[in-house]
């Protein structure tokens, strides 16, 4: 990878498996002497053949054994979630804050480069609160983004920092899609369905957070932004199927979200809490963690575990953590 100052000057060449990197490393070492040494040329050809074979096998294996992932990036007291579809398309839901540290420039873009993401098929901003959109401006300046998803009510919000992002997106000809309940993005084995908010009904920003249900390979996850109990009630009044393997708790585990009826309806195997270490709001609230314990729902907190990646395959759901 070439560290960029602008997206146009960057190139991602990984990640590759250790075996491929080892073979390519030997190839690079052998190149200077290949011209004069037959044995070196022979080993260089074998290294090239080996790396190509391993890369082809890994790619073929991904086709035969599809999976999708949900990564909650540790951006401190904020939200940012990377969704990788079975086809390899990437969607980023929220972009963290930029008050103390620019999550986009300092955390998200380096992380995307580290795991070999070349572009984002969509940047989804659940609602115009700074701990959800703060890193978006530097992100769209530094990294290729095909389109932005936001609700119509969010786009009307006049916060200067938020409007600056919209202007930058227009300047870069990044389409902005109006997202509301019923909007569906779909491919083989996977879909992203918007289950909230209702189109053209503007409420308080947190209550109107875009809420997504991801489904694929027999598993599902719900991402709620800062959805409040009022928003949860609105969703539960519909016939939307909510039961899911993973639930990202609303509002960082605040007591204004994650009501018992909503948790019971979703009945997740795991709950994710994105919160900052020693945050001034004292998220997650003890009332919420006690509720999760009483319902026997294990929860994973970024403040304690760092970045969390869930991997969904047809017969299992697993997760890893990374500081």
């Amino acid at each position: 990878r070439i560290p960029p100052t602008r997206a146009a000057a960057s190139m991602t060449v990984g990640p590759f498996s250790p075996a491929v990197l080892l073979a390519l490393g030997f190839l690079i070492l052998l190149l200077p002497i290949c011209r004069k040494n037959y044995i070196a040329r022979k080993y260089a050809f074998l290294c090239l053949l080996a790396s190509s074979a391993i890369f082809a096998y890994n790619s073929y294996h991904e086709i035969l054994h599809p999976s999708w992932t949900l990564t909650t990036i540790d951006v401190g007291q904020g939200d940012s979630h990377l969704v990788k579809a079975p086809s390899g398309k990437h969607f980023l839901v929220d972009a963290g804050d930029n008050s103390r540290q620019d999550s986009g420039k300092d955390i998200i873009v380096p992380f995307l480069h580290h795991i070999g993401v070349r572009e984002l098929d969509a940047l989804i901003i659940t609602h115009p609160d700074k701990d959800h959109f703060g890193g978006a401006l530097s992100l769209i300046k530094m990294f290729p983004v095909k389109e932005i998803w936001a609700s119509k009510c969010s786009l009307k919000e006049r916060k200067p920092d938020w409007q600056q992002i919209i202007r930058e997106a227009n300047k870069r000809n990044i389409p902005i899609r109006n997202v509301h309940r019923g909007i569906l993005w779909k491919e083989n084995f996977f879909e992203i369905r918007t289950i909230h908010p209702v189109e053209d009904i503007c409420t308080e920003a947190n209550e109107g957070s875009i809420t997504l249900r991801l489904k694929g390979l027999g598993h599902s996850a719900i991402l709620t932004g800062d959805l409040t109990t009022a928003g949860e009630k609105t969703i539960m009044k519909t016939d939307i199927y909510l039961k899911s393997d993973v639930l990202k708790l609303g509002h960082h585990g605040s007591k204004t979200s994650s009501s018992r009826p909503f948790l019971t309806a979703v009945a997740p195997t795991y709950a994710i809490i994105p919160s900052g270490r020693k945050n001034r709001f004292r998220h997650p609230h003890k009332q919420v963690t006690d509720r999760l314990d009483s319902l026997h729902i294990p929860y994973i907190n970024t403040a304690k575990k760092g970045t969390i990646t869930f991997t969904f395959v047809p017969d299992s759901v697993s997760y890893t953590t990374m500081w």
Side-chain angles (χ1 to χ4, degrees):
R1 172 169 61 87
I2 302 172
T5 54
R6 294 172 61 89
S10 69
M11 180 178 66
T12 302
V13 294
F16 296 115
S17 67
V20 171
L21 291 175
L22 186 62
L24 290 175
F26 276 120
L27 177 61
I28 292 169
L29 290 174
L30 290 168
L31 283 177
I33 58 174
C34 280
R35 188 173 180 180
K36 298 180 180 179
N37 192 305
Y38 169 76
I39 296 176
R41 288 199 299 273
K42 182 178 178 180
Y43 277 107
F45 175 74
L46 290 175
C47 288
L48 182 62
L49 189 64
S51 60
S52 300
I54 295 167
F55 184 76
Y57 171 79
N58 290 339
S59 300
Y60 186 63
H61 186 269
E62 288 183 6
I63 294 172
L64 288 180
H65 304 279
S67 66
W68 61 279
T69 62
L70 167 62
T71 299
T72 297
I73 304 171
D74 181 12
V75 292
Q77 185 65 17
D79 262 42
S80 188
H81 312 273
L82 181 68
V83 179
K84 180 184 178 185
S87 65
K89 293 183 182 296
H90 290 89
F91 303 82
L92 187 71
V93 183
D94 288 330
D97 203 347
N98 67 343
S99 299
R100 294 185 177 181
Q101 184 181 29
D102 190 329
S103 296
K105 176 172 67 71
D106 299 326
I107 301 174
I108 298 171
V109 170
F111 178 76
L112 295 175
H113 282 142
H114 171 68
I115 63 173
V117 178
R118 292 177 175 81
E119 65 181 3
L120 292 174
D121 290 273
L123 168 62
I124 305 162
I125 303 298
T126 58
H127 65 296
D129 275 356
K130 201 169 184 182
D131 57 336
H132 292 253
F133 74 76
L137 182 62
S138 56
L139 176 68
I140 62 178
K141 286 182 176 181
M142 297 174 65
F143 202 84
V145 176
K146 286 187 175 181
E147 58 182 23
I148 292 174
W149 297 2
S151 68
K152 184 182 290 186
C153 296
S154 291
L155 296 174
K156 295 176 182 177
E157 175 60 57
R158 305 314 300 172
K159 292 178 181 177
D161 290 351
W162 172 237
Q163 287 301 318
Q164 187 179 2
I165 292 168
I166 295 172
R167 287 194 299 272
E168 187 67 29
N170 291 330
K171 176 183 172 183
R172 293 174 178 270
N173 295 316
I174 301 174
I176 300 176
R177 179 188 295 196
N178 171 25
V179 175
H180 52 81
R181 180 181 295 165
I183 295 294
L184 177 69
W185 182 91
K186 191 172 184 179
E187 67 173 29
N188 288 336
F189 311 118
F190 185 72
E191 69 177 35
I192 301 175
R193 185 181 297 272
T194 308
I195 61 175
H196 192 72
V198 180
E199 186 177 17
D200 295 332
I201 299 180
C202 294
T203 58
E204 185 270 332
N206 288 348
E207 184 181 337
S209 291
I210 291 174
T211 302
L212 306 170
R213 187 170 187 266
L214 321 172
K215 186 177 75 171
L217 305 176
H219 302 290
S220 54
I222 291 179
L223 303 178
T224 58
D226 276 353
L227 190 70
T228 60
T229 52
E232 293 170 359
K233 287 178 182 177
T234 301
I235 295 173
M236 287 188 292
K237 288 177 182 177
T238 69
D239 59 355
I240 295 170
Y241 187 75
L242 293 175
K243 192 175 187 313
S244 298
D245 299 273
V246 176
L247 171 66
K248 198 287 296 185
L249 295 191
H251 208 182
H252 320 285
S254 164
K255 64 180 180 180
T256 61
S257 305
S258 307
S259 63
R260 182 175 288 270
F262 187 69
L263 291 175
T264 302
V266 179
T269 305
Y270 301 99
I272 302 172
I273 305 175
S275 66
R277 286 170 277 282
K278 298 180 180 178
N279 66 83
R280 64 189 177 93
F281 306 102
R282 298 185 179 181
H283 293 157
H285 197 278
K286 188 176 185 300
Q287 184 175 311
V288 173
T289 55
D290 286 348
R291 191 177 299 146
L292 291 168
D293 289 337
S294 70
L295 293 170
H296 306 290
I297 300 172
Y299 56 90
I300 312 154
N301 188 349
T302 57
K304 294 183 177 180
K305 296 294 185 179
T307 293
I308 306 158
T309 297
F310 275 89
T311 301
F312 303 83
V313 296
D315 57 351
S316 69
V317 177
S318 60
Y319 73 90
T320 57
T321 60
M322 178 184 73
W323 281 105

